[in-house]
Amino acid sequence: GDSVTQMEGPVTLSEEAFLTINCTYTATGYPSLFWYVQYPGEGLQLLLKATKADDKGSNKGFEATYRKETTSFHLEKGSVQVSDSAVYFCALSAKNTGGFKTIFGAGTRLFVKA
Amino acid sequence: DTGVSQDPRHKITKRGQNVTFRCDPISEHNRLYWYRQTLGQGPEFLTYFQNEAQLEKSRLLSDRFSAERPKGSFSTLEIQRTEQGDSAMYLCASSPSLGESEQYFGPGTRLTVT
């Protein structure tokens, strides 16, 4: 079945460091790919998305490119801030017989130190 | 619009008791999803509604679990004869009927079964 695998955390970085969180997926068909973020004490919210191969999603300085050939959707940010400390979830959404089903990775916790 | 709301936010119950959770989606959203999230894991899909129709149920949703969305607006998730393994955060999300749209998540209901 469809699945998402992302790098285990926690990831600890100093402010202004470069961030990469790896995400790979397994899916039949052509899913849409998402990164959701959960800040401390808050609900999940969409960070960025890409709906087809080679699309790049971007938001708040974060980027991820839909790579069909490597089935990957790695999250990157050039210079992290303390306020980026959160849990990041990679997810895919694929149409199935009932509608659309979203599969989430296990999440990667990011700590950014001042 | 106040976003997706869930009630209660916390529920502590004894094993064997029944519990019911409520989710109020964003008013114009046709789709409603229930997920379960345990510590250190991503949300696991439970079930999905398109208006009042329940289109898909995960195999995680045993016969002790039932969900309804009687008028296509709010939804309830009931767990009968709770077990300690049911302890988790139960998340509700909604989205408009526009392809594979972003999901908007509520704050969740944390269930503890003692």
Side-chain angles (χ1 to χ4, degrees):
Chain A
D2 297 349
S3 66
V4 174
T5 302
Q6 58 183 109
M7 64 187 286
E8 289 189 21
V11 173
T12 303
L13 296 173
S14 297
E15 209 166 19
E16 299 183 3
F18 184 86
L19 168 72
T20 301
I21 301 178
N22 291 338
C23 171
T24 57
Y25 68 91
T26 302
T28 53
Y30 303 97
S32 293
L33 302 175
F34 304 84
W35 278 98
Y36 282 83
V37 59
Q38 188 169 30
Y39 297 103
E42 299 184 17
L44 276 84
Q45 55 187 276
L46 180 70
L47 180 60
L48 54 84
K49 70 177 183 182
T51 58
K52 60 183 187 296
D54 300 324
D55 267 4
K56 179 186 283 188
S58 61
N59 186 26
K60 298 182 181 179
F62 291 89
E63 292 183 341
T65 301
Y66 190 141
R67 301 286 188 200
K68 186 170 179 291
E69 64 277 11
T70 55
T71 62
S72 65
F73 192 55
H74 305 320
L75 182 68
E76 296 182 336
K77 186 174 186 182
S79 176
V80 294
Q81 305 299 313
V82 172
S83 58
D84 294 327
S85 297
V87 182
Y88 292 82
F89 295 92
C90 185
L92 68 83
S93 176
K95 191 171 184 180
N96 57 14
T97 53
F100 293 96
K101 183 173 175 178
T102 302
I103 307 294
F104 286 84
T108 302
R109 184 174 294 276
L110 171 67
F111 292 105
V112 180
K113 302 179 298 183
Chain B
D1 190 348
T2 56
V4 179
S5 61
Q6 293 185 246
D7 184 68
R9 295 291 304 276
H10 303 274
K11 178 70 176 179
I12 299 174
T13 191
K14 293 185 177 179
R15 190 175 52 191
Q17 298 295 304
N18 299 343
V19 294
T20 300
F21 309 142
R22 176 178 170 126
C23 171
D24 287 88
I26 293 172
S27 58
E28 63 268 24
H29 286 182
N30 301 98
R31 296 178 181 166
L32 187 146
Y33 306 79
W34 285 100
Y35 295 88
R36 181 171 67 189
Q37 186 177 21
T38 53
L39 199 61
Q41 298 298 315
E44 294 177 292
F45 172 81
L46 293 179
T47 191
Y48 154 65
F49 290 86
Q50 172 85 22
N51 298 312
E52 66 274 11
Q54 188 173 20
L55 296 186
E56 185 168 354
K57 294 195 298 184
S58 165
R59 55 183 162 76
L60 294 175
L61 215 64
S62 75
D63 56 5
R64 296 186 296 106
F65 288 70
S66 62
E68 295 183 343
R69 194 182 184 197
K71 297 181 181 178
S73 56
F74 73 92
S75 176
T76 58
L77 178 67
E78 181 182 17
I79 309 174
Q80 296 182 328
R81 305 181 303 281
T82 52
E83 302 172 356
Q84 287 188 321
D86 297 331
S87 296
M89 178 76 85
Y90 290 84
L91 299 173
C92 176
S94 70
S95 71
S97 294
L98 294 173
E100 294 164 286
S101 304
E102 167 187 358
Q103 294 181 29
Y104 294 79
F105 282 82
T109 294
R110 181 169 296 283
L111 173 66
T112 302
V113 181
T114 61

